Each structure stands twice: as C-alpha cells, then as structure tokens.
Amino acid sequence: MRVVLGIESSCDETAAALVTDRRVILAQRIASQDDAHRPYGGVVPEIAARAHAERLTPLIAATLADAGMTLAQVDAIAATAGPGLIGGVMVGLVTAKALAMAGAKPLIAINHLEGHALSPRLADETLGFPYLLLLASGGHCQVLLVEGVGRFRRLATTIDDALGEAFDKTAKILGLGYPGGPAVERLAAQGDARAVPLPRPLLGSAEPHFSFAGLKSAVLRARQAGVHADADIAAAFQQAAVDCVIDRTRRALAAAGPVQALVVAGGVAANRAIRAALEALAGEHGLRFVAPPLALCTDNAAMIAWAGVERLGQDDPLDFAARPRWPLDPAADPVRGAGVKA
Ligand code: KG4
Ligand code: ZN
C-alpha cells in the first residue's frame, strides 16, 4: 500500500490529507477561512495567503498525527501548484517542496482542476475513462471530456462568470453573505421560481459554452425593482442556472462521443437542484451519473492527494513554478472572457 500526502491552498481553504492507493482517506483536515473573508463578501488574496502561511504547517502535522503516521511513512508529497490565487499556491507548493526535500520523497505538482476532475474516481472505483465532466466551482465552469490522467478535452467553458461566482454574486445582491451557494440554495427552497422572469443566456446556442453575467445583472434588476420576495428571486435564479447547465451539458454530450458516465465535480456540485437535473439528463442518455460526496466537491486536500496517487511515479523538480493559470486542455480554442478568474 502506498500513501500520498496532499496539500491544498489555492483559494480560501487550507487543507491536508493522507490518501492510499486503495482509495482510503486515512486522515484529512480542512481549515476554512470563511470568517476572515466574510466582512469583504469574497476572498481577499492577501488575507488568504497569510492565513495559509500561518495554518498550513501545523495542519499537516495534525493530519499526520490523526493517521498515526510520520513523514517517513509517506510515499509522495502532492500539492496544488495552480491555478489559483498565487500567494496561497506558493505557500502550499513551497511547503510541499520543503517536505519532499527533507523526507527525500517525490514531489507531485497537481493542477487543482485535475484534482476536482479525478475526485469522482476516488469516491467510485468503478468509474473508468472516458467520462464527461461538468466542473463548476467559484472560479471555473467547464465541460471536459476526461480521457485519462492528464488527458482532457475542454468542450465548453464560460465566456464570462463562473457558475459558483454567479451564486456568490446573487447571494451578495440578496444580502445572504459569503459563501453564497449554500445560502442561495436554502432560500430558493422557500421560493417560487416562476414568480420572477429571468433570462437563460446562450440557451440553445450551437456551441456548448456558458454565460452567467447577464443572469446576474437580471437578478440585480429584479431585486432593485423591489416587488419580488427574495426567496422567489433566489428560486428563479437557481432554476435559470439549472436550465442553462442542462441545455449546455446536453449540447456537450452530443459533441463528446461515447462516454462511460456523466460526472459533476467542483463546489457547485454540492447543489441538489443541479445534481438532480444532471442525474435526469444522464438517465435520458442511458448514462451513469456520478457525483462525489459533498465533502469531496468543495475544495479539499483528499482530491489533491488522490490526483497524486493517480500520478505516482512522477517526481517534479524542486524549482517547479507556481502557476496562476494552468488550463487542463492547452489546445482548447480561446473564447471570449476565457472563463478563468483566478
Ligand atoms: O470548488 P470550490 O470549493 O472552490 C473553487 O475552486 O472555486 O467551489 C466554491 C464555489 C463557491 O462559488 C460556492 O458558492 C459554490 O461553490 N457552492 C455552491 C454550493 N455550495 C458551494 N453553489 C451552489 N449551491 C451550493 N450548494
Ligand atoms: Zn476548487
């Protein structure tokens, strides 16, 4: 049995995990920075980097202690090396390099998006390649054909905002605070989606790309009109988001060719309405639907450690540079807006 230590620090979660090549999470810890960023309504990069620098090393020590292990018993050190907020990424990557050097262990630099993309295989050993993945988080909204480890074909991306970002901005408009996704979902459950007409950007367009900026602006106008209940606005926003996601993913499925499963990952995969609609779409196509458990959807280090397991044998140089941008499919056509915020 081999064990990989995973480190995640690309946004506002400081996380460490120990995962085996038998898909067992021996230990994992996540320190959320929500409280530090809440007053600002979003993640402040400088505050995030400082918090990672303070918390990461003790968090790794505690994770090792939880598993009753020492660094000597770890087979490799995997860390997010991008994309993300560069200060935080540097903290995690430099820490991983120091541990790799001190322990004479291989360093495995992980693309955070690959961590999300492969996380469903940690949860489900029967999930084989290729699969169609909707990767929707605070910084990304892409549909990827996952053909293997390090082999991605990006079929769609957002031309403006990420889906999680649209949830977060809707939450801000409705005064729900940060992080917004779960709060919008809770409020939406009490509202009537038909009470507020909202647009579905790019619905029916030939290419499977996403757009959420116009939806966000419409939410703002609906709120400012002062005639709708907040719960109805939240419900209408969520329904519009679901309709867009399903229409766009259906289009991507048609372009993808044969796949093993329809898979969703990233923080927005925690949304029950989106999950349910994707499951129905998969059913329509006679496909399996795979969604990792909620704790594996939002940022965590178990997915980074697992990507490290998938890449065991790799040993990256100690001068591997942190990458603020790191597309999974470098050959993908650039689209307006590029769809990558961090
Ligand atoms: O993957 P993640 O933890 O971090 C990034 O890499 O961005 O995703 C965080 C995003 C946030 O925008 C958050 O509002 C959204 O995922 N999110 C949700 C839900 N839970 C988290 N969006 C909609 N519904 C949810 N239940
Ligand atoms: Zn993420």
Side-chain angles (χ1 to χ4, degrees):
M1 184 189 73
R2 289 184 296 173
V3 182
V4 174
L5 169 65
I7 295 172
E8 161 59 32
S9 60
S10 66
C11 192
D12 59 343
E13 322 282 353
T14 312
L18 290 157
V19 175
T20 76
D21 59 358
R22 311 250 172 90
R23 291 182 161 80
V24 178
I25 301 171
L26 296 174
Q28 70 163 324
R29 288 200 175 217
I30 303 182
S32 163
Q33 303 174 5
D34 284 353
D35 291 343
H37 300 291
R38 186 167 290 118
Y40 307 94
V43 179
V44 183
E46 182 68 24
I47 292 174
R50 284 168 183 265
H52 289 305
E54 285 163 18
R55 296 176 188 183
L56 181 57
T57 317
L59 193 93
I60 292 168
T63 305
L64 284 165
D66 287 347
M69 291 180 67
T70 62
L71 185 60
Q73 294 168 294
V74 169
D75 293 283
I77 319 286
T80 294
L85 301 173
I86 195 67
V89 173
M90 286 167 68
V91 169
L93 184 57
V94 166
T95 303
K97 288 174 177 177
L99 293 176
M101 199 180 108
K105 307 289 181 187
L107 170 74
I108 307 179
I110 299 294
N111 182 319
H112 176 85
L113 298 174
E114 181 171 276
H116 280 299
L118 297 177
S119 67
R121 283 167 50 83
L122 167 57
D124 185 341
E125 64 179 323
T126 66
L127 177 61
F129 302 116
Y131 51 89
L132 192 79
L133 172 73
L134 170 67
L135 174 49
S137 69
H140 302 270
C141 187
Q142 308 184 348
V143 180
L144 297 152
L145 181 62
V146 184
E147 296 176 309
V149 177
R151 292 177 52 213
F152 301 93
R153 205 144 65 73
R154 197 199 69 195
L155 301 175
T157 188
T158 177
I159 63 169
D160 42 55
D161 293 351
L163 182 51
E165 192 182 357
F167 269 91
D168 292 334
K169 285 180 177 164
T170 296
K172 207 167 179 177
I173 291 166
L174 297 178
L176 297 178
Y178 171 85
V184 170
E185 181 175 6
R186 273 195 301 278
L187 188 59
Q190 300 157 30
D192 175 6
R194 289 159 308 178
V196 188
L198 291 176
R200 271 93 173 131
L202 295 184
L203 204 84
S205 89
E207 286 201 284
H209 295 313
F210 299 89
S211 169
F212 296 106
L215 175 58
K216 168 194 70 190
S217 308
V219 167
L220 181 60
R221 284 193 300 275
R223 180 58 154 29
Q224 286 170 340
V227 295
H228 301 293
D230 283 355
D232 290 346
I233 296 175
F237 162 77
Q238 184 169 274
Q239 187 58 53
V242 166
D243 290 350
C244 292
V245 163
I246 294 309
D247 177 73
R248 311 288 61 221
T249 307
R250 178 180 282 123
R251 187 73 60 156
L253 265 173
V259 291
Q260 303 279 329
L262 176 61
V263 180
V264 64
V268 183
N271 186 283
R272 283 167 189 80
I274 290 174
R275 277 186 184 231
L278 286 169
E279 186 162 18
L281 177 66
E284 260 176 50
H285 288 76
L287 288 173
R288 279 178 67 205
F289 175 65
V290 179
L294 300 191
L296 271 184
C297 287
T298 48
D299 283 351
N300 65 88
M303 70 181 192
I304 303 304
W306 173 252
V309 169
E310 298 255 34
R311 287 180 170 275
L312 272 168
Q314 183 173 323
D315 189 2
D316 287 306
L318 291 176
D319 64 354
F320 193 101
R323 301 177 178 177
R325 283 175 184 254
W326 187 357
L328 283 177
D329 177 6
D333 291 336
V335 294
R336 194 156 42 100
V340 178
K341 302 303 262 201

